[in-house]
C-alpha cells in the first residue's frame, strides 16, 4: 500500500473516531435548555474572526519550531491543514492523536520524523505552561483569586512546577532522548535539541495567543447574558484559559470534556446567575467545537485551492 492510500485510510479512521465521541457527547446535552434563550447574534459575529485568527496563529509557532531545527518548509498551508486535522484529535480520549497526527501527516512534507516528534511534544508543553501562567495572572488581576477552591490552586501549582521543570532545556532534552531511545531502540542525533532562545520566542507567541483567547468566549457569554460587565473580561479569559489547560492535562478525557466544563461551571457561577451558567458552559463547548471544525474546513480549502509549494 502506498503512502497516499495509507494516509487516506488513517484520516478516515481518525474522523470516524472523532465524530463517534462527539456524537456521544451531544447525546448527553439537554437541548431543551436552549429553547427560551434569545441569542444576540452581533456578539457571535464579533467572536468568529477573533476565534479563527487565534487558531490560525497557533500553527505558526509549530512551524517556527520546525524551522529552528533547520528543516525546510515547502508549504505552510499543507502544515496548517495537518495541524488543524490533528487538533481535532483532541476529541479522542488520550489526546495522543493531537501529537501523533502532526508527526504522521507532516512526514509527507519531507520533514524529519525525529524533529516532528520533538517539536510536537515541545509545542504542546509550551501551550500548557504559558496557558497556565496567563490564566493565573488574569484571575489574580481580576481580584477573584479567593473564589478559587483550594483543590484548584493545588492543581495550578502542580501544573506550573511540573511544566517549568519539564521545559528546562537540559531536562527536556534529556527526557526526550531517553524516551526516544526506549521507543526507537536508537540514539537521537546530538544536533536535535532545543535551546533557551527557541523556548522564549515560542513562549511569547503562545502567551499572546492565550492573552486574547478569552475575548470571543466573553462575547459568547454576553449573547445569553447581556448584563455581563466588560470589567469581567479578564476573569472570563482567565477561567476559560485555565479550564482549557487543565482539560489538556487530563489526557484520558476527550478534549477535556466534563473536566473543562466542570471548572467553567464552578468558576463562572461567581459572575453568572444559576439559571444561566449551565447553558453558558454548554454554549462555550459547542462554540469551541464549531470553530475547531471551521478551522479544519477553511484549512482544507486553503491547502486544496491556494497551495503553492515553495522552498525557503
Amino acid at each position: 500500500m502506498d503512502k497516499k492510500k495509507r494516509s487516506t485510510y488513517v484520516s478516515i479512521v481518525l474522523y470516524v473516531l472523532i465524530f463517534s465521541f462527539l456524537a456521544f457527547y451531544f447525546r448527553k446535552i439537554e437541548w431543551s435548555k436552549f429553547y427560551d434563550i434569545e441569542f444576540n447574534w452581533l456578539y457571535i459575529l464579533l467572536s468568529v474572526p477573533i476565534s479563527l485568527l487565534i487558531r490560525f496563529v497557533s500553527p505558526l509557532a509549530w512551524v517556527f519550531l520546525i524551522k529552528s531545527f533547520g528543516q525546510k518548509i515547502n508549504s505552510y498551508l499543507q502544515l496548517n491543514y495537518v495541524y488543524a486535522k490533528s487538533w481535532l484529535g483532541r476529541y479522542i480520549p488520550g489526546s495522543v492523536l493531537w501529537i501523533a497526527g502532526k508527526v504522521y501527516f507532516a512526514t509527507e512534507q519531507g520533514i524529519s520524523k525525529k524533529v516532528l516528534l520533538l517539536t510536537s511534544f515541545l509545542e504542546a508543553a509550551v501551550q500548557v505552561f504559558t496557558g497556565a501562567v496567563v490564566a493565573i495572572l488574569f484571575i489574580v488581576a481580576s481580584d477573584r483569586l479567593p473564589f478559587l477552591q483550594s483543590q484548584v490552586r493545588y492543581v495550578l501549582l502542580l501544573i506550573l512546577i511540573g511544566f517549568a521543570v519539564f521545559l528546562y532545556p537540559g531536562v527536556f532534552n534529556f527526557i526526550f532522548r531517553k524516551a526516544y531511545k526506549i521507543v526507537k531502540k536508537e540514539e537521537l542525533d546530538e544536533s536535535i535539541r532545543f535551546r533557551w532562545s527557541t523556548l522564549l520566542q515560542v513562549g511569547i507567541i503562545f502567551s499572546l495567543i492565550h492573552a486574547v483567547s478569552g475575548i470571543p468566549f466573553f462575547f459568547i457569554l454576553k449573547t445569553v447574558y447581556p448584563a455581563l460587565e466588560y470589567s469581567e473580561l479578564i476573569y472570563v479569559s482567565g477561567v476559560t484559559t485555565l479550564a482549557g489547560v487543565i482539560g489538556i492535562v487530563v489526557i484520558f478525557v476527550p478534549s477535556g470534556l466534563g473536566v473543562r466544563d466542570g471548572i467553567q461551571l464552578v468558576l463562572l457561577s461567581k459572575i453568572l446567575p444559576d439559571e444561566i451558567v449551565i447553558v453558558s458552559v454548554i454554549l462555550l463547548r459547542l462554540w469551541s467545537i464549531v470553530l475547531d471544525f471551521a478551522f479544519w474546513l477553511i484549512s482544507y480549502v486553503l491547502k486544496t485551492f491556494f497551495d503553492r509549494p515553495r522552498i525557503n
Side-chain angles (χ1 to χ4, degrees):
M1 183 186 299
D2 58 44
K3 290 184 178 180
K4 189 173 182 179
K5 286 185 177 180
R6 185 167 62 247
S7 178
T8 300
Y9 292 145
V10 171
S11 296
I12 292 174
V13 172
L14 175 66
Y15 293 138
V16 169
L17 289 174
I18 291 170
F19 283 108
S20 296
F21 282 103
L22 285 178
F24 176 75
Y25 172 72
F26 288 149
R27 286 182 58 189
K28 298 191 298 181
I29 296 178
E30 295 183 41
W31 297 101
S32 59
K33 293 182 179 294
F34 292 91
Y35 293 164
D36 298 325
I37 298 293
E38 293 186 8
F39 295 98
N40 188 321
W41 293 99
L42 175 61
Y43 290 126
I44 293 180
L45 291 176
L46 288 173
S47 301
V48 171
I50 303 174
S51 297
L52 287 176
L53 178 61
I54 291 170
R55 283 164 172 77
F56 275 97
V57 171
S58 296
L60 289 175
W62 182 45
V63 170
F64 173 80
L65 280 174
I66 294 174
K67 293 175 69 174
S68 71
F69 287 93
Q71 298 291 302
K72 291 183 177 181
I73 307 300
N74 295 329
S75 170
Y76 167 73
L77 292 180
Q78 291 286 347
L79 286 181
N80 183 77
Y81 175 65
V82 167
Y83 191 99
K85 179 162 62 173
S86 302
W87 186 246
L88 295 178
R90 296 178 307 117
Y91 292 105
I92 301 173
S95 296
V96 175
L97 290 181
W98 170 32
I99 296 175
K102 288 187 291 184
V103 176
Y104 180 83
F105 294 113
T107 52
E108 299 174 3
Q109 305 303 313
I111 303 172
S112 166
K113 183 176 291 187
K114 296 176 182 178
V115 170
L116 288 172
L117 276 169
L118 177 63
T119 55
S120 296
F121 276 108
L122 183 57
E123 184 240 351
V126 174
Q127 266 206 63
V128 170
F129 179 72
T130 54
V133 171
V134 170
I136 292 173
L137 290 177
F138 277 11
I139 293 176
V140 171
S142 69
D143 199 28
R144 291 185 176 276
L145 187 61
F147 286 129
L148 284 179
Q149 296 181 351
S150 59
Q151 295 92 332
V152 177
R153 296 185 189 184
Y154 294 144
V155 171
L156 286 177
L157 183 61
L158 289 174
I159 290 175
L160 288 179
I161 294 176
F163 277 92
V165 173
F166 182 70
L167 285 172
Y168 185 80
V171 174
F172 182 88
N173 289 324
F174 174 79
I175 293 176
F176 187 81
R177 288 178 180 283
K178 290 298 183 182
Y180 186 86
K181 185 177 181 179
I182 293 173
V183 175
K184 293 293 185 179
K185 309 299 182 182
E186 61 178 289
E187 296 286 348
L188 188 66
D189 298 339
E190 187 63 29
S191 60
I192 301 180
R193 59 173 57 242
F194 94 101
R195 298 170 176 80
W196 278 112
S197 58
T198 303
L199 176 62
L200 179 62
Q201 291 168 319
V202 177
I204 291 175
I205 294 175
F206 276 117
S207 294
L208 293 174
I209 291 174
H210 291 307
V212 300
S213 63
I215 297 176
F217 288 124
F218 175 82
F219 283 133
I220 293 301
L221 291 180
K222 281 188 73 69
T223 65
V224 295
Y225 188 58
L228 183 64
E229 299 289 341
Y230 281 96
S231 59
E232 301 290 1
L233 173 60
I234 294 179
Y235 180 69
V236 170
S237 297
V239 168
T240 53
T241 302
L242 173 64
V245 166
I246 297 180
I248 292 175
V249 173
V250 183
I251 62 174
F252 297 107
V253 181
S255 190
L257 294 176
V259 175
R260 173 179 167 180
D261 304 330
I263 292 173
Q264 291 178 340
L265 185 64
V266 172
L267 299 183
L268 290 179
S269 64
K270 307 303 178 181
I271 61 174
L272 298 175
D274 292 341
E275 66 273 15
I276 293 293
V277 66
I278 295 178
V279 173
S280 298
V281 169
I282 296 174
L283 188 59
L284 290 180
R285 167 60 68 179
L286 294 176
W287 175 257
S288 295
I289 293 173
V290 169
L291 266 294
D292 284 345
F293 275 91
F295 173 40
W296 166 78
L297 181 59
I298 295 173
S299 298
Y300 175 79
V301 171
L302 289 175
K303 73 98 178 176
T304 301
F305 297 102
F306 299 99
D307 181 41
R308 295 294 183 269
R310 61 184 178 83
I311 303 295
N312 54 355

